Amino acid sequence: MPFDRKPLRAYIMSACLRTPGALGMPHFCLRKVLIWAAVSLPWSAPSFAQHDHSSGDFEVFVAAEAFHGTGQTHAGDADPWIDADVVFGLTKHQFRVFGEYYITPDERDLERFQMGFEFVPETVLWLGRFHQPASAWNTEHHHGQYLQTDITRPYIERWEDENGIIPQHITGALFESRQSLGQEGAIQISAGAGAAPALADGALDPISLIDDNPGRHRLSVTARFAYLPQYTGASSTGLLFGHDNLSVSSARTVAVLQSNDAKVSLYGAYTDWTAEPWRIVAAYYYLDVQLAQAARNESFMSGYLQVERQLPGQFTVFGRLEDSARMQESRYVALFQDNDGDIEIALRRQAVGVRWDFNRHQALTFEISHIVSLIQKSNELRAQWSAAFP
Amino acid sequence: MERGISVKKIAATAVLVALLAAAAPVLAADELVLIVSADSKVEQLDSHEVRKLFLGLTVIHNGDRLRPVLNETDDRVKEIFLQNVVSMSETTYDRSVLRLALIQGQVKPTAYKDIALLKKAVMADATAVSYAWEKDVVHDPRIKILRVLWYD
């Protein structure tokens, strides 16, 4: 029996007509549009290929963590005792659908959901919710712990629901392209534009594909320009840019900022270089916060350097230094400190650890770190088991 | 006269031994070959394209997206694939493929541990590309050998 798509489309279109649109308007119908497009994909006309071939796959990245921190009453939002990151992808001709669903005891969220069209090999235009390309760390590791050598991510790279201060989840369009350069190298361009998170009470609030959205989302433009020494390799180095217009919703936030909106501009550079057995990951961000009604704007800097060394027996040792400048003077940064018993904003951190890949797709990691935060100093100890299935 | 015959015999024996010695490596050679279905429109893939394909990147020929099929029928073929095709350790290759799955939802290559099933998969899909010992595929008209990837 053929699949009749008309009722579904009619339902979705009527739902769209009943509700206003995105970018500042409440209750838009984005997720219905995404569902419609995903449902339509398998029936799309194959005009460009003779073989009606599609393929799909999914991976589950699981991690369990034990945490102890001095001077902290509980583990932070970034340290769930267990989490699972389900990644699924479907490719049919030049169309792609891709999603990432993240689950912890306190959170279930469709972190990414993207539908793409690959114009030429490795040049894709995506629509949906994506991780902004100006984050050196998150575009490489996303929410999956297993592929991250260490346990923690640098504070400046934290997600919005972990009191992260840089908008990370954007809903809109993302263009990605990798093109050959010279005999072996490549350049990689990623550029995204869409709806930025809103600045709610003490946290950035990105568009949710599952829950209702109160609206208030304004424009985000982000980009990355990178050089890859090998087209097929993982090493890259490049420049980062982001500009997010954040609307401010709560009275407390308006009072602290003395502004009803904030324009956050990011300029950065990064390198992620592997020369086995060594790997170096470094990033530097300069952030400028423009406030509408304030007497002066703000700017601050943050960066990190991580060095990893593989050892015999599937062991890897790593160390990371994080540092910042002028973050403690920023009213924008102070918004994200909620004094709930864990550390939200770190000014500096030194971390060292060891990872043991004891089995195929399974690893044990230990990490100790010393943190200087906005309000205290702390030492932390973490142990983690991480795996990828199947 | 006796001595002349003896010299000729020795020379002939030496030539025969030399010929056999030269032929022996060829007869006993192991060759890993790149294969596609006999119905495939692919006539050749260079090393860079093969590496891209098995690392999960997009390779298109005549409008068709090619699909990599991993041969894990024995440890030696796996080792040769890692050393000579993708030039990576097993751990690094695993992580590279997982990384692409995490970053863009790229589909991981399908792996077969049984040569009959692998051949069946390649024959059934004109976009499939795999590799196998030459002796396993050379007499099968439904399989097309593109080139030798490695020989001993």
Side-chain angles (χ1 to χ4, degrees):
Chain A
M1 182 178 169
F3 181 81
D4 183 4
R5 280 168 284 165
K6 284 184 180 174
L8 178 62
R9 283 181 176 167
Y11 161 72
I12 290 163
M13 292 314 294
S14 64
C16 289
L17 290 173
R18 285 198 303 271
T19 55
L23 285 174
M25 300 179 196
H27 306 303
F28 61 92
C29 62
L30 177 67
R31 65 174 173 272
K32 299 183 182 74
V33 173
L34 293 173
I35 292 167
W36 170 77
V39 167
S40 298
L41 179 68
W43 288 274
S44 58
S47 58
F48 43 79
Q50 293 181 14
H51 294 279
D52 186 23
H53 181 76
S54 66
S55 52
D57 202 358
F58 82 97
E59 293 289 333
V60 183
F61 297 90
V62 184
E65 182 185 324
F67 168 85
H68 174 72
T70 59
Q72 298 178 66
T73 53
H74 63 81
D77 298 323
D79 294 294
W81 74 270
I82 190 162
D83 66 82
D85 189 36
V86 182
V87 177
F88 52 93
L90 176 69
T91 301
K92 186 179 175 70
H93 310 301
Q94 285 152 294
F95 289 98
R96 289 201 209 168
V97 175
F98 166 61
E100 183 178 21
Y101 191 73
Y102 185 62
I103 307 161
T104 73
D106 302 318
E107 180 190 358
R108 282 178 294 280
D109 201 359
L110 188 55
E111 301 287 351
R112 287 186 289 164
F113 187 76
Q114 302 171 212
M115 289 167 303
F117 183 79
E118 193 168 14
F119 295 95
V120 293
E122 302 306 321
T123 297
V124 187
L125 178 65
W126 298 97
L127 296 177
R129 180 168 134 144
F130 54 88
H131 291 152
Q132 58 98 359
S135 167
W137 191 276
N138 295 332
T139 48
E140 182 67 21
H141 302 101
H142 301 277
H143 294 267
Q145 282 286 331
Y146 173 74
L147 288 175
Q148 187 175 298
T149 305
D150 48 3
I151 299 175
T152 57
R153 69 183 61 238
Y155 270 89
I156 193 68
E157 305 278 20
R158 279 191 161 197
W159 304 113
E160 293 95 337
D161 53 8
E162 299 168 351
N163 300 86
I165 61 176
I166 298 176
Q168 300 290 350
H169 293 90
I170 310 300
T171 304
L174 173 67
F175 175 80
E176 292 184 311
S177 183
R178 184 191 317 210
Q179 298 300 321
S180 294
L181 182 70
Q183 285 196 327
E184 289 194 348
I187 54 167
Q188 192 172 32
I189 300 167
S190 302
L199 190 49
D201 196 5
L204 292 166
D205 189 10
I207 284 179
S208 170
L209 300 181
I210 294 176
D211 299 322
D212 285 336
N213 290 281
R216 313 182 314 271
H217 301 282
R218 296 180 182 169
L219 183 65
S220 165
V221 179
T222 49
R224 164 204 296 241
F225 185 82
Y227 166 72
L228 287 69
Q230 281 195 315
Y231 187 98
T232 52
S235 294
S236 67
T237 188
L239 300 172
L240 310 164
F241 167 78
H243 181 80
D244 295 273
N245 191 351
L246 308 176
S247 68
V248 179
S249 59
S250 78
R252 174 185 166 269
T253 307
V254 172
V256 173
L257 281 182
Q258 298 169 25
S259 173
N260 56 12
D261 75 355
K263 293 183 178 67
V264 178
S265 298
L266 177 154
Y267 309 92
Y270 84 100
T271 189
D272 185 345
W273 212 265
T274 301
E276 287 188 332
W278 293 92
R279 182 187 179 196
I280 293 175
V281 185
Y284 172 84
Y285 299 102
Y286 173 87
L287 284 112
D288 180 75
V289 183
Q290 200 178 341
L291 302 170
Q293 294 147 0
R296 65 183 177 89
N297 296 329
E298 302 177 354
S299 64
F300 55 90
M301 289 152 279
S302 183
Y304 56 88
L305 168 67
Q306 177 158 317
V307 179
E308 302 171 13
R309 172 72 158 82
Q310 293 172 18
L311 300 173
Q314 301 292 328
F315 285 94
T316 305
V317 290
F318 58 87
R320 188 174 70 235
L321 293 173
E322 298 176 42
D323 206 347
S324 67
R326 299 205 299 270
M327 274 178 73
Q328 63 272 36
E329 300 163 12
S330 167
R331 281 169 293 172
Y332 172 78
V333 171
L335 283 174
F336 299 87
Q337 182 66 46
D338 58 11
N339 301 318
D340 64 350
D342 61 328
I343 290 177
E344 271 90 28
I345 304 296
L347 303 174
R348 286 183 289 283
R349 168 158 63 181
Q350 298 95 42
V352 293
V354 61
R355 171 184 167 117
W356 178 35
D357 285 273
F358 66 95
N359 205 342
R360 191 181 184 197
H361 295 175
Q362 290 193 69
L364 287 173
T365 312
F366 297 91
E367 181 179 317
I368 55 173
S369 54
H370 173 71
I371 298 166
V372 178
S373 78
L374 274 182
I375 54 173
Q376 63 175 323
K377 292 180 181 177
S378 177
N379 295 311
E380 296 180 342
L381 173 64
R382 289 177 174 83
Q384 183 192 70
W385 165 79
S386 62
F389 300 103
Chain B
M1 189 71 182
E2 282 274 323
R3 193 173 170 225
I5 291 169
S6 176
V7 169
K8 279 182 182 172
K9 274 185 180 174
I10 290 169
T13 306
V15 168
L16 187 62
V17 167
L19 283 172
L20 284 172
V26 175
L27 293 174
D30 288 330
E31 288 187 347
L32 193 69
V33 292
L34 190 67
I35 59 171
V36 293
S37 161
D39 299 331
S40 173
K41 288 181 279 185
V42 178
E43 293 301 330
Q44 200 49 268
L45 290 172
D46 64 34
S47 302
H48 186 56
E49 287 175 310
V50 173
R51 189 163 195 261
K52 277 168 66 176
L53 181 66
F54 284 98
L55 281 170
L57 297 170
T58 306
V59 177
I60 291 180
H61 258 249
N62 298 318
D64 291 332
R65 177 191 292 269
L66 301 185
R67 188 171 68 90
V69 176
L70 292 176
N71 182 339
E72 295 186 353
T73 55
D74 66 60
D75 289 343
R76 191 154 169 250
V77 73
K78 195 170 170 181
E79 186 185 330
I80 293 167
F81 166 78
L82 290 167
Q83 280 182 4
N84 295 273
V85 177
V86 292
S87 308
M88 290 177 175
S89 66
E90 185 175 4
T91 307
T92 308
Y93 179 68
D94 267 356
R95 287 179 73 111
S96 296
V97 174
L98 276 176
R99 178 177 165 268
L100 274 183
L102 178 66
I103 290 175
Q104 338 185 288
Q106 288 280 34
V107 177
K108 286 192 307 178
T110 315
Y112 287 89
K113 292 186 183 298
D114 183 299
I115 188 64
L117 291 177
L118 183 141
K119 284 167 65 177
K120 198 174 167 186
V122 171
M123 288 184 290
D125 182 357
T127 66
V129 179
S130 189
Y131 47 93
W133 296 121
E134 191 220 20
K135 61 184 170 58
D136 290 334
V137 293
V138 69
H139 299 300
D140 197 326
R142 295 164 299 175
I143 298 274
K144 180 161 65 177
I145 295 175
L146 296 183
R147 66 187 174 90
V148 176
L149 290 172
W150 176 91
Y151 67 91
D152 186 17

